Each structure stands twice: as C-alpha cells, then as structure tokens.
Amino acid sequence: VKNILRFMLRIKMIDIVSEGADDDKKVYAVRNPERKKGSYNTAAHREIVLDTARESIVLLKNEGNRLPLVPETLHKLLVIGDNAAKIHSCGGGSAEIDALYEICPLLGIKMALGGNCEVTYTPGYYVPEQEEQEMNWQMDSLGEQELPYTPVPITGDSEEGRKKQEAWKKEALALAAEYDDIIFVGGLNHDIDKEGYDRNTMELPYYQDELIQELLKINPNMILVMMAGNPVDMTRWSSDAKAVVWTSYAGMETGTALAEVLFGAVNPSGKLPMTMPLSLEQTPAEVYGDFPGRELTEEEHARMSAKLTQTYREGVFVGYRYYDKFHAPVQFCFGHGLSYTTFEYGNILAEWEKTETDAQINHRILRVQIPITNTGKRAGKEVVQLYVGEHHVSPDNPVKELKGFQKVMLLPGETKTVEFLLTENDFSHFREDTGNWTVTTGAWKLYIGSSLVDIRSKADINV
C-alpha cells in the first residue's frame, strides 16, 4: 500500500493532510488541486497515432515497382479479405483498448480515393465467430489444456462454415476476373494472435493460402497486405506475388496510414523487428525439440501458475542471432524493409576518442560516421543499422549484433552523415563462469546496412 500511495503522491494524484494534536492526529489523502487535468484523444494525439502507423508499415517486396498505385489512374478497385474490414483494437488480451474509433484498411482506401474510383469489397474467406468466454482471457489462458495445444478452431469446418467458405471464395474469384487492380488484406486476427496462447503453425488460417494462390493465377498483379503481430508462412505464394506489404496492428489510424503507403502519399520506411522464418520447424524451439514444452511436475505446479514449461536452448543465439549464426535461410530477415526510393551508403569512418564527462570519466568512445545518399526520385527515410562482430568469430558468440539504428530523412539527391557513438561495453560478452561482462579485446568488424543481411559498408577496428 505504501508503494501505491507513494506513486500517487509523486504524480500529484493525492496530497497528504493531517489535523489534530499528536494523540488525536488524523491523516487523510485528499485530491491534489495542483494536478494537471491532462487530455486524451485530442487532434494532436491522433496525429501522433497516425505518424506512428505511417512509420511502422513495412514494404517486404515490390517487384517491377508495382507500388505505389497511382490514384488518378484507378477507376475500379477490388478489395478482398476479412482483415480489410475488421478492427483490432478490441482484442488481443492486455492489448485491448476502448478506442474512440478505428479506421480499417477498407475505409482508409475509400477515404484516400474519394469518389473518383469504384471500390468493391468481398471478404473472400470465412472467419467463424468465436463464442463469448465466461472467464476473461487471463483466467482462460491458465486453464488446463490438452497437448498438443491448439488455441481455437481457425478453419470454420462446420457445415455452415464450409458453405460460406466456398461461396465467398467463388465470389472473390469471379470478381477478380473483372478487375485490373486488386488489393488483398489478410493475415491473422485476435482470435489467434493474442496473449496467453501459442500457435502450433505459421500457416495462414481460414484457407487463405489456397485463395491467394488462385487469385494470383487470375491476376498476377494483385497486391498482398499481411496484417499480423507475429510471423506467418508466405512461402506458398510470395514468389508469385509482385508486391507484399506488412503491417502489424497499427492502432486507430491503421487504414489511413496503409492507404497513404499504397497510393504513394507516404514512402514506406518501416523495418521488420523480427525474423520471418521459412516455417515453424525452422525456429530454434522446434530445432532443439522443445516446442510446445512439457507439462509441469507436481513440484513445479506447487510454485508456478502455468500450463507448460519451456526450455530455451539457443543460449545467446536469440532471435536474428540464431539465423545469422547457423546460416539458416529465412523468408525475410531482421531489419528488412524496402522503400520507393534508393539509398547509397558511403565508407565508414570510425575513430576512438576519450571523453571526460561526469557519466564517463576517462572512458573511450568510438565515433562511427557514414554518409547516406538518396539516389532515387522520391523523398524517403532510411533506417541505418549498425552491427558489430568479432573479426574471428568465436563459436560461443554471435556473428554480429545490432548496436544502434537511426532513421534519416533524405530528399532526392541529398546526402547526410549518420553518426553512432559506441563505448567499449558494446564490444563485451557476458561470461557465465565469472558472472561478469568482459570486453573482448582485439580485432572487430563494424557492419552498417539496410538490414541484417543487406550490409552496405564494413570497417575493421581494434578494441
């Protein structure tokens, strides 16, 4: 209780007053009149929400510059996919919010095109309605489950579901033959992509893969938009698709930002914060044979509220480090993201300097600089990523690790120098035998690029 009251005092929710003499002294918590009233969902807030969504959208593939679409040349547009018309703020576990509004992709597309383009929508695939749970998601996720664990039925394999699935698929295929421009918005939703549950496959639910494959045969120029909070398997159709866009659940202005990217009002600049493996079987948990975990022992049940326990055996090779270390092929690597323009990276300049600030007395810092030039015809932003790794990589350490990133805005033809400051701590590894971080002295490499694998410039340094 003291911790809660102390926090309330610090943010001026309450003030403490007392009255009476020592023997009869009474202490009260009262509303603090100096507390600022604050505000919510103002125009300024909504603009920040929109800017955040714009920055987050990732262009995964753009063969033949299929994107952006030119609104002035569009007269008829077909939009397919349940996620085009779905809102996501109301699900996902602790991510649930009561949003004042949410612009879905379909609405964002219609708003951007105005009245000069006929927009037709069909869901394409059937998503069965989920039954209302008597308990909340937190309690439900702690319940006993059978192994292997399947969170929810995702195919709609009831008789009614199969009929709707076939009918909506047939309608989508028939309409696709009539349109030159098609946008498919699919992926996951919060029936599957939510807190407290694991997926036992990376495949798209609701037979989306089959639908996408058939649609691409009819119209190879169809644009694919995947909306999800976790990786999905796109291998069955990604090689046939010319343009693939990735968006997570980007908030109230998802549809507005997505439409701006699709129609070129915003140049995409997002990068993947995760690796997109080729399949679930390729992930470390599967490779080491630990997924989906084991049931708890009686002793573990006595001290833990959980269904399963999971051992992570990859050690320091977490996330992108694993795929990089063992040369595992992936769909899209960590840090990947394309633009409607192109960027050229210059040579790395790296110099050790001493600093005598209060925070770092007599510590050395490495000042790393690199010029970046926009060589295309559009203004755009590039996320410049700095990785470091040993020159002769130890079997115990990653090949390279991200140590800094910066997003830089460049006009066509413009050059800016991006700078990173590293300390000797950035060249250290944790030693389990001593329990300390230890700087590995000797030869190291600096890698700067547009993604984990798209390295544009390298430099050797000595630590």
Side-chain angles (χ1 to χ4, degrees):
V1 172
K2 286 182 179 179
N3 287 333
I4 296 172
L5 292 174
R6 188 180 297 113
F7 178 73
M8 294 173 74
L9 277 167
R10 286 175 178 170
I11 63 172
K12 298 185 181 294
M13 282 183 67
I14 60 172
D15 199 1
I16 302 298
V17 298
S18 59
E19 62 182 38
D22 290 343
D23 292 342
D24 296 324
K25 188 174 183 179
K26 295 182 179 179
V27 180
Y28 299 93
V30 298
R31 184 185 297 274
N32 190 328
E34 296 181 5
R35 177 172 169 80
K36 294 180 179 179
K37 66 179 179 64
S39 59
Y40 64 89
N41 223 314
T42 64
H45 292 161
R46 293 191 288 272
E47 188 62 30
I48 292 172
V49 168
L50 177 56
D51 283 340
T52 304
R54 288 166 173 158
E55 300 282 345
S56 70
I57 295 173
V58 183
L59 180 60
L60 294 179
K61 184 177 180 182
N62 195 23
E63 186 179 299
N65 294 323
R66 177 69 181 114
L67 287 173
L69 296 173
V70 181
E72 291 76 17
T73 65
L74 294 176
H75 304 292
K76 290 174 58 180
L77 175 68
L78 176 62
V79 179
I80 304 173
D82 183 76
N83 265 351
K86 185 182 286 290
I87 62 172
H88 295 277
S89 59
C90 54
S94 62
E96 294 178 20
I97 58 169
D98 290 325
L100 180 64
Y101 67 87
E102 181 177 342
I103 306 295
C104 67
L106 179 62
L107 181 55
I109 289 169
K110 288 183 174 181
M111 289 166 59
L113 292 176
N116 295 325
C117 178
E118 174 192 327
V119 179
T120 303
Y121 169 71
T122 181
Y125 58 91
Y126 170 63
V127 178
E129 291 186 14
Q130 298 300 311
E131 295 181 4
E132 289 290 330
Q133 300 290 328
E134 293 184 5
M135 61 181 72
N136 64 30
W137 66 270
Q138 292 164 313
M139 293 299 297
D140 187 41
S141 70
L142 295 175
E144 294 298 325
Q145 300 285 344
E146 295 181 1
L147 292 175
Y149 177 55
T150 304
V152 287
I154 59 173
T155 57
D157 277 338
S158 65
E159 184 177 351
E160 178 190 9
R162 285 192 294 271
K163 288 181 179 178
K164 287 186 177 180
Q165 186 75 38
E166 285 302 313
W168 289 358
K169 177 182 176 181
K170 185 177 180 180
E171 179 181 276
L173 296 176
L175 285 170
E178 302 174 11
Y179 285 77
D180 293 330
D181 295 291
I182 305 173
I183 299 173
F184 182 95
V185 186
L188 304 180
N189 58 34
H190 288 316
D191 292 341
I192 301 158
D193 215 358
K194 59 182 175 181
E195 187 170 2
Y197 294 93
D198 290 334
R199 289 182 293 148
N200 61 0
T201 178
M202 276 176 48
E203 292 183 8
L204 289 173
Y206 318 120
Y207 302 108
Q208 290 179 74
D209 287 317
E210 291 86 343
L211 175 60
I212 292 171
Q213 286 175 300
E214 293 192 41
L215 286 168
L216 285 171
K217 290 178 182 177
I218 296 172
N219 189 328
N221 291 320
M222 182 176 71
I223 291 160
L224 277 297
V225 177
M226 287 290 108
M227 181 183 293
N230 287 285
V232 297
D233 184 351
M234 296 176 270
T235 56
R236 292 171 62 178
W237 46 263
S238 59
S239 61
D240 297 323
K242 292 184 178 179
V244 183
V245 176
W246 177 271
T247 175
S248 298
Y249 310 111
M252 293 167 22
E253 292 285 355
T254 295
T256 308
L258 178 61
E260 289 177 339
V261 167
L262 294 175
F263 300 127
V266 168
N267 193 343
S269 60
K271 301 284 187 176
L272 286 180
M274 57 192 173
T275 302
M276 289 280 187
L278 285 171
S279 66
L280 188 65
E281 291 71 31
Q282 190 199 25
T283 59
E286 280 279 9
V287 170
Y288 292 114
D290 294 314
F291 183 79
R294 61 169 176 81
E295 294 187 63
L296 275 64
T297 65
E298 290 185 8
E299 183 272 333
E300 289 169 332
H301 261 302
R303 57 185 173 86
M304 288 193 289
S305 177
K307 294 178 294 198
L308 305 172
T309 181
Q310 170 73 56
T311 302
Y312 291 89
R313 303 184 195 277
E314 59 265 48
V316 297
F317 304 115
V318 174
Y320 67 86
R321 299 167 185 83
Y322 170 84
Y323 302 97
D324 197 29
K325 181 71 172 181
F326 300 105
H327 308 289
V330 299
Q331 294 182 88
F332 299 101
C333 71
F334 174 82
H336 173 73
L338 304 177
S339 171
Y340 294 150
T341 188
T342 54
F343 300 96
E344 183 178 280
Y345 286 60
N347 295 323
I348 298 173
L349 175 63
E351 293 181 340
W352 285 103
E353 301 176 0
K354 275 195 173 183
T355 178
E356 296 183 359
T357 63
D358 293 338
Q360 294 180 315
I361 297 176
N362 293 327
H363 276 59
R364 291 203 308 164
I365 62 170
L366 182 67
R367 187 179 300 276
V368 182
Q369 296 178 321
I370 187 168
I372 310 295
T373 303
N374 183 343
T375 54
K377 298 180 180 180
R378 289 174 176 263
K381 298 177 182 179
E382 171 71 330
V383 180
V384 183
Q385 302 163 43
L386 169 63
Y387 299 84
V388 304
E390 298 166 317
H391 192 279
H392 300 289
V393 183
S394 162
D396 299 327
N397 295 326
V399 175
K400 55 184 178 289
E401 294 184 279
L402 182 71
K403 295 296 179 178
F405 61 92
Q406 289 190 39
K407 182 175 280 193
V408 57
M409 173 68 184
L410 293 167
L411 299 173
E414 185 179 13
T415 299
K416 288 182 180 178
T417 297
V418 177
E419 182 176 270
F420 301 93
L421 298 179
L422 302 180
T423 70
E424 291 171 334
N425 289 336
D426 290 307
F427 302 91
S428 63
H429 293 114
F430 188 81
R431 291 186 54 179
E432 292 187 29
D433 56 346
T434 64
N436 294 312
W437 290 90
T438 303
V439 176
T440 304
T441 59
W444 282 72
K445 278 186 175 293
L446 301 177
Y447 306 83
I448 295 183
S450 187
S451 75
L452 176 72
V453 300
D454 186 9
I455 300 300
R456 307 290 186 88
S457 190
K458 300 178 184 179
D460 295 322
I461 60 162
N462 190 66
V463 179

